[in-house]
Amino acid sequence: MGQTLTRFALLGFGWLSLFLGFVGIFLPLLPTTPFLLLASACFMRGSPKIANWLLQHPHFGPIIDNWQRNRAIDRRIKRRANVFIVLSFALSIALVPALWHKLMLLTMAVVLLIWFNRLREIEPVARAPENT
């Protein structure tokens, strides 16, 4: 009974994280990658079949695989993420009227960019077939 409840909770959190990660593709300030990694972790413990499906996904799979194997992010994805982080925060800062909101968003952007850019990068060449 306890294992079944744990499995359902993990599946529920996994699907919720996957949904939030998908929504994060389109909404600024909602991060996609952390939700995908959380979904993958939940599915690995709750349903290896769904975890495998997510790992085989053509767009999300390589991101998760790089993180699981190397604790690193592909350089191209990191560059793209930096651009979208800056654009989404710039848009948000431009739209909010209060100065303290602008300062808070600017502080959040700086902290996020510092943390994110400190993550290790993996060279795209490392995944080339001749290197594996």
Side-chain angles (χ1 to χ4, degrees):
M1 175 80 175
Q3 288 180 342
T4 305
L5 185 60
T6 303
R7 184 173 181 269
F8 281 126
L10 286 169
L11 286 173
F13 284 126
W15 284 114
L16 177 64
S17 298
L18 187 61
F19 173 75
L20 290 173
F22 180 75
V23 171
I25 294 170
F26 306 103
L27 292 179
L29 302 179
L30 189 61
T32 299
T33 304
F35 284 117
L36 290 178
L37 296 175
L38 179 59
S40 175
C42 289
F43 289 144
M44 280 192 291
R45 290 165 183 79
S47 173
K49 184 177 178 181
I50 299 173
N52 189 42
W53 167 79
L54 191 57
L55 196 56
Q56 300 302 318
H57 191 276
H59 298 292
F60 302 139
I63 297 169
I64 295 168
D65 185 56
N66 278 339
W67 185 256
Q68 287 177 347
R69 289 179 191 236
N70 308 307
R71 293 289 187 240
I73 297 174
D74 188 297
R75 178 173 284 165
R76 293 172 295 142
I77 292 171
K78 198 173 194 180
R79 258 188 266 132
R80 191 178 318 145
N82 275 314
V83 168
F84 282 106
I85 289 168
V86 169
L87 288 175
S88 66
F89 272 96
L91 176 66
S92 298
I93 289 169
L95 291 176
V96 297
L99 179 62
W100 75 272
H101 286 147
K102 292 177 188 288
L103 293 174
M104 180 186 64
L105 286 168
L106 182 62
T107 303
M108 289 170 56
V110 168
V111 169
L112 176 62
L113 286 169
I114 289 171
W115 171 81
F116 186 70
N117 284 299
R118 290 184 58 155
L119 294 176
R120 281 187 22 190
E121 290 180 2
I122 189 167
E123 296 288 331
V125 175
R127 287 195 328 241
E130 62 270 11
N131 293 337
T132 56

